[in-house]
Every structure is written in C-alpha cells, then in structure tokens.
Amino acid sequence: MKRLQLLVATVGLMSASAMAASGVVYKSPSCGCCDDWVEHMTQAGFELEVKPHDDMASIKQEMGVPADMQSCHTARINGYVIEGHVPAKEVKKLLATHTGLEGLAVAGMPIGSPGMEYGDRHQPYTVMAFDDAGNTQAFQHYPKP
C-alpha cells in the first residue's frame, strides 16, 4: 500500500511539474539565438510553442517587460513573463517558489547565457526579477560565486 501511495504521489508531482513547464515563446522570425534558447529549455523539460512575431516591441509592452531589461525573445510560462536568455534552472526555481513576481529577465544578449554560447567565453550577467509595479531585484548572478 505504501508503494502505491508513493507511486501516486510521484506521478502527481511529475504531472504538476510537466504542467508548470509549458508556455509560449514570441520571437523574431529571423533570430537564431532564440531557437537555441528554446532548445535549452526543451532539453530541461519545458514544452514551448514558438510563435514568430514581427513586432516584438508590442509583445514586450503588452507583457510589461521593463525597457531596461529587454532582450530578443519573450515567453509566457505558467503565467510568468520570461524575457531573454534566462537559464532553465532559474525558471524552474521561479515556478517552484510561486512568488508574487511578474517574471524574470536577462537584459541584452550576454555571451555564455543559454542560447548565446560562444566556445568557453562567458560574460557576467544577472537574472533580474520584476513585478507588475515595475520593482526589480537581482534573482541570480552568473557566473555563480
């Protein structure tokens, strides 16, 4: 009986995790690094629908991405806005904590971030969190100390 309860609990957690790991990515039709980020997320277990869009500025404005945190692609994953090359690990942490945040962002396109790999080169960057009132805070620094 305990094994059955454990199995049911495990399946339940896996199902909840799978549900939490899906969303939509809006990207310019010609952007290759966006495709690389989607591949990174897919390998981490996310199921993402890709929607090419010619007017990314309107998507970012509609989703409330702060102007100083914008990058090339914008995603909505389980209700959260994910802007730019945010590592899958940080998105999973956000989904697991159920914070009052609106989303996460990596401004620009730092070399070494997911989708922006270039050999062994890495630029330091910060994953920023933001809320719907425009407040921001550091969520995680890369490389991690």
Side-chain angles (χ1 to χ4, degrees), residues 16-17 22 29 47 69 105:
S17 175
S22 63
E47 292 182 22
M69 292 187 189

Side-chain angles (χ1 to χ4, degrees), residues 14-103:
M14 288 170 42
S15 297
S17 175
M19 286 176 51
S22 63
V24 177
V25 179
Y26 299 91
K27 65 178 245 12
S28 169
S30 61
C31 188
C33 69
C34 299
D35 294 329
D36 293 343
W37 181 79
V38 169
E39 180 62 26
H40 162 77
M41 296 296 284
T42 300
Q43 288 177 0
F46 288 83
E47 292 182 22
L48 300 175
E49 177 184 359
V50 177
K51 291 189 175 183
H53 201 280
D54 288 321
D55 183 11
M56 288 302 300
S58 67
I59 296 288
K60 293 169 191 319
Q61 183 177 8
E62 179 182 317
M63 291 196 195
V65 177
D68 62 340
M69 292 187 189
Q70 294 183 3
S71 183
C72 51
H73 55 270
T74 306
R76 169 103 40 207
I77 300 175
N78 197 30
Y80 291 100
V81 177
I82 307 299
E83 176 69 12
H85 297 270
V86 177
K89 179 179 183 177
E90 305 311 328
V91 177
K92 287 180 178 182
K93 184 166 67 173
L94 175 69
L95 295 176
T97 57
H98 301 289
T99 66
L101 296 171
E102 185 69 18

